[in-house]
Amino acid sequence: MTPPGRPQISSRKRPQQARSTELVAAILQAAVKVLAEEGATRFTTARVAEKAGVSVGSIYQYFPNKAAILFQLQADEWRQTSEMLRRILEDAGKPALDRLRALVHAFIRSECDEARMRVALNDAAPLYRDAPEAQQARAAADRTFEAFMQELLPEASAATRALAGDLITTTFSVAGKRFSETPRTQAQIEAYADAMADMFCAYLKSLRTPA
């Protein structure tokens, strides 16, 4: 049961048939457009229904409220980011620092490509940020990065790896968001990503070098 004061963010039911799957996809596509055009403060199920060309009742078959729609959009974004993270960091055919550099470039490009959506979802985050479902959605990416840090710094202490991992992921989040808030050219994106990757690699090399 959802605790009092916190909106239910789980979907009411999962689409089982092709027609239902298409309806949910149309709802989520409309939600993306409404969120990008109107922002989180003006995001409503009625606007989503109008954009999708369906009734509000059709939306409530699958999503109990607007928080559930926003959470689904955020969960989809987390899943895509997690898959990108895993695909790049688990590519054993490349040196670890090269993988990290590739991740930096992919992440910064993604932040800039989806800046308006990310800003709007961040504004809506208080609706679901502390929910158990949200914590579970982030767990896979955390495990992938922890395994990568173990590979990258096998001789370091757990505390050192944790500190390095937290510094890198926090920088990703904060610096990436701030950089993407202003429209950027491809050259600017590449230069910024190179600089961030250089900084990370220099720091991690210093941790791998015996004192």
Side-chain angles (χ1 to χ4, degrees), residues 17-94:
Q17 300 178 347
R19 183 176 179 182
S20 298
T21 300
E22 291 172 359
L23 174 58
V24 170
I27 292 170
L28 293 176
Q29 288 172 5
V32 168
K33 294 177 181 178
V34 172
L35 193 60
E37 295 170 2
E38 304 287 348
T41 57
R42 290 176 53 81
F43 183 92
T44 65
T45 53
R47 286 192 172 91
V48 172
E50 181 180 4
K51 182 71 71 173
V54 301
S55 67
V56 173
S58 295
I59 291 181
Y60 286 146
Q61 290 182 52
Y62 300 96
F63 302 101
N65 48 49
K66 71 175 186 178
I69 302 174
L70 290 168
F71 175 72
Q72 185 62 57
L73 294 179
Q74 180 65 85
D76 288 345
E77 192 275 330
W78 279 329
R79 184 171 58 255
Q80 292 167 7
T81 300
S82 178
E83 290 172 353
M84 177 184 71
L85 188 77
R86 180 185 55 78
R87 184 178 66 256
I88 293 174
L89 294 187
E90 293 182 359
D91 183 2
K94 296 180 180 179

Side-chain angles (χ1 to χ4, degrees), residues 73-206:
L73 294 179
Q74 180 65 85
D76 288 345
E77 192 275 330
W78 279 329
R79 184 171 58 255
Q80 292 167 7
T81 300
S82 178
E83 290 172 353
M84 177 184 71
L85 188 77
R86 180 185 55 78
R87 184 178 66 256
I88 293 174
L89 294 187
E90 293 182 359
D91 183 2
K94 296 180 180 179
L97 291 180
D98 287 352
R99 281 177 266 159
L100 179 60
R101 182 174 293 276
L103 178 64
V104 172
H105 277 265
F107 182 82
I108 296 299
R109 284 196 301 271
S110 175
E111 285 287 297
C112 292
D113 289 344
E114 303 175 15
R116 293 184 66 187
M117 172 63 68
R118 291 179 191 275
V119 170
L121 283 174
N122 187 66
D123 290 342
L127 291 172
Y128 51 74
R129 180 168 43 207
D130 298 325
E133 297 95 329
Q135 297 170 9
Q136 293 167 9
R138 292 189 293 261
D142 291 341
R143 289 193 296 269
T144 298
F145 202 79
E146 287 169 7
F148 176 72
M149 294 304 295
Q150 173 70 47
E151 176 190 353
L152 190 62
L153 301 172
E155 304 299 325
S157 67
T160 296
R161 285 196 299 271
L163 174 61
D166 182 66
L167 186 151
I168 290 172
T169 55
T170 299
T171 303
F172 266 145
S173 177
V174 177
K177 178 180 182 295
R178 180 172 297 177
F179 178 75
S180 65
E181 287 175 350
T182 300
R184 306 290 183 174
T185 65
Q186 188 61 36
Q188 289 174 325
I189 293 172
E190 292 297 317
Y192 191 85
D194 274 332
M196 182 181 288
D198 288 344
M199 179 178 66
F200 288 156
C201 289
Y203 169 57
L204 291 168
K205 285 177 181 178
S206 73

